[in-house]
Amino acid sequence: MNETTPSSLVALSAREAAARVAANTLAAEAVAAAFAERIAAREPVVQAWAHFDRDRALAEALAAPAGPLAGVTFGVKDVIDTVDMPTGYGSSVYAGYRPAWDAPIVALTRRLGGVVLGKTVSTEFAMSSPGKTRNPHNPDHTPGGSSSGSCAAVAAGMAHVAFGTQTAGSIVRPASYCGVVGYKPSFGTLNRAGMKPLSDSLDHLGLITRDVRDAAFAVAALAERSALAQGAITGPLRVGLFRTSRWASAEPATRAALDRTVAAIEAAGGTVRELPVPDVFEQLYALFDAVMGWETPHTLAYERRALGERISPITLGFLDTLAKATRDQYDAALAVLKRRDAIVEELLDGCDVLITPAAPGEAPAGLGGTGDPVFNKPWTLLHVPALTVPAGVGPNGLPVGVQVIGRIGEDAYTLAAAASIEDALKARPS
């Protein structure tokens, strides 16, 4: 096989591409050109990009500095500011808007040698009104949201890495639907400045990648914490199977994916223990609703007041629903959440990590909705690291993932554990 053909270059992991560029056996512009060719082939069906300019992307690759991310291609969700490309926040009311600066995460990506190919589609304001993107495995199905374009672009082989944001389930759920790794780091791991805010207590910036080790590689560089890529598992992995208080929402595809994951972990020498669901877990849903309900309508006060007739009815209706939360409910929720670490420790119950549903099931048919974040909200609220690990396909032939949960701030270990689970799943037939 010719290792310099566009298809072979696109097949390289982010780690492999960076290593070859660093060794001067591959040019970053050759990698970018290969991805541009893939975008030309897949984009007409998938429609993952809000903005892509081949000439600009190749010029950026040619001028990119040497650095740990040289040779790695990125998509940037359209709620993250870029100085040289429009940032529309997924909304027609901001179409063509040009920020005066790059968000820090974009500036750092470029400084470290990464190539920003373009902007990926987001739902409006990273909420619930869908964009144009289709699921790359079946264009009649949603890719999920709000990080729809980012997940679809990586799943379709159009970028190594894409930035996503999550306030409820907007990285983990679409990653499950698209069959990729969605990594929501511990709260604050990556700089959120220059990202359209929704809820200051819940907004997370994260990554979508092809495999867990690429996520660890990229976040280690972007967080400037090399230890994030150096986590290690010592002894058998102790995993808790946590079905949650909303298990009735889990479809057969998700239940089967968890069963496959349990069998794979045990076959690889790990142990899995089903954990009880304490009463506090169901209470987390009310706390989430209070926090997002109070913060989001206030954060989008201008859009709601001045642009209400121009934003989508779905967005406006969602804001009206959220606005029912009271200040007293919000303050009470924040008081409980001062105990986040203790709550997380109770849920893990002595296990190293948890496995739990990433989404209710396969991606729903149709493009009018983005799916239900029912299995994501509590973990976003708790600020824990959470990853989607692909775990096979469901009865409709669409991907299904499982969610791996770790302790707050213990991202290096959680990434290592998720990589171990990913390896176990790949070693076991579906």
Side-chain angles (χ1 to χ4, degrees):
M1 177 179 172
N2 186 341
E3 293 186 356
T4 60
T5 63
S7 60
S8 65
L9 295 182
V10 167
L12 294 173
S13 69
R15 309 183 306 285
E16 291 167 335
R20 288 182 57 177
V21 170
N24 292 317
T25 62
L26 179 62
E29 54 267 34
V31 180
F35 276 94
E37 186 172 311
R38 175 60 65 91
I39 290 170
R42 296 299 310 273
E43 177 62 5
V45 172
V46 178
Q47 300 183 53
W49 299 91
H51 179 86
F52 173 73
D53 180 333
R54 182 181 185 277
D55 291 341
R56 188 214 60 79
L58 296 184
E60 178 168 326
L62 185 63
L69 296 178
V72 181
T73 55
F74 285 79
V76 175
K77 186 176 177 178
D78 191 37
V79 294
I80 301 170
D81 289 341
T82 47
V83 69
D84 56 350
M85 291 176 280
T87 302
Y89 308 121
S91 177
S92 62
V93 301
Y94 287 111
Y97 172 63
R98 298 294 289 264
W101 49 74
D102 279 338
I105 196 67
V106 176
L108 180 60
T109 297
R110 289 170 159 163
R111 181 166 67 81
L112 297 177
V115 176
V116 175
L117 294 175
K119 304 300 288 291
T120 55
V121 171
S122 171
T123 61
E124 188 171 41
F125 308 140
M127 293 174 71
S128 55
S129 184
K132 63 181 180 178
T133 306
R134 273 79 172 141
N135 192 301
H137 298 275
N138 184 332
D140 293 329
H141 289 247
T142 180
S146 63
S147 302
S148 52
S150 289
C151 291
V154 173
M158 294 192 278
H160 286 119
V161 183
F163 290 111
T165 66
Q166 178 160 313
T167 305
S170 296
I171 292 173
V172 170
R173 184 179 79 262
S176 180
Y177 289 163
C178 291
V180 290
V181 170
Y183 169 42
K184 182 200 76 63
S186 293
F187 186 75
T189 299
L190 296 175
N191 192 315
R192 296 180 297 153
M195 170 181 129
K196 180 68 170 171
L198 282 184
S199 172
D200 192 56
S201 299
L202 301 173
D203 290 343
H204 291 69
L205 178 61
L207 304 172
I208 294 92
T209 58
R210 298 172 181 178
D211 62 33
V212 174
R213 288 181 178 85
D214 265 1
F217 164 76
V219 77
L222 293 165
E224 299 178 279
R225 292 170 56 194
S226 59
L228 289 174
Q230 298 168 0
I233 305 299
T234 57
L237 187 62
R238 300 172 303 168
V239 178
L241 172 61
F242 193 81
R243 298 185 191 275
T244 84
S245 58
R246 304 285 177 97
W247 181 243
S249 296
E251 299 167 13
T254 283
R255 297 181 184 215
L258 281 165
D259 289 343
R260 283 194 297 272
T261 305
V262 169
I265 292 168
E266 291 177 339
T271 62
V272 181
R273 174 165 56 94
E274 182 165 353
L275 301 180
V277 180
D279 292 342
V280 68
F281 191 81
E282 179 60 27
Q283 297 167 12
L284 295 174
Y285 287 95
L287 300 182
F288 179 94
D289 291 345
V291 173
M292 189 174 182
W294 178 261
E295 290 186 349
T296 299
H298 287 80
T299 301
L300 296 181
Y302 171 75
E303 284 82 2
R304 194 173 179 222
R305 178 185 62 81
L307 305 176
E309 294 183 357
R310 297 170 57 197
I311 61 180
S312 76
I314 293 174
T315 299
L316 192 58
F318 190 36
L319 285 170
D320 289 344
T321 298
L322 291 173
K324 295 176 182 177
T326 68
R327 180 74 205 206
D328 286 346
Q329 290 170 333
Y330 175 60
D331 288 342
L334 294 184
V336 174
L337 292 169
K338 291 178 181 178
R339 297 183 55 254
R340 272 190 178 94
D341 287 289
I343 293 169
V344 171
E345 203 58 49
E346 179 184 357
L347 295 175
L348 276 131
D349 194 19
C351 294
D352 299 322
V353 293
L354 303 179
I355 54 171
T356 193
E362 295 170 277
L367 303 172
T370 62
D372 189 347
V374 61
F375 291 117
N376 315 121
K377 289 179 179 181
W379 311 115
T380 306
L381 180 76
L382 290 173
H383 292 178
V384 294
L387 291 100
T388 303
V389 175
V393 298
N396 296 314
L398 293 170
V400 185
V402 296
Q403 187 172 194
V404 178
I405 301 294
R407 291 174 171 82
I408 302 169
E410 294 190 9
D411 289 52
Y413 186 89
T414 305
L415 285 159
S420 176
I421 293 169
E422 181 180 53
D423 289 345
L425 281 161
K426 288 178 177 179
R428 188 175 179 85
S430 299

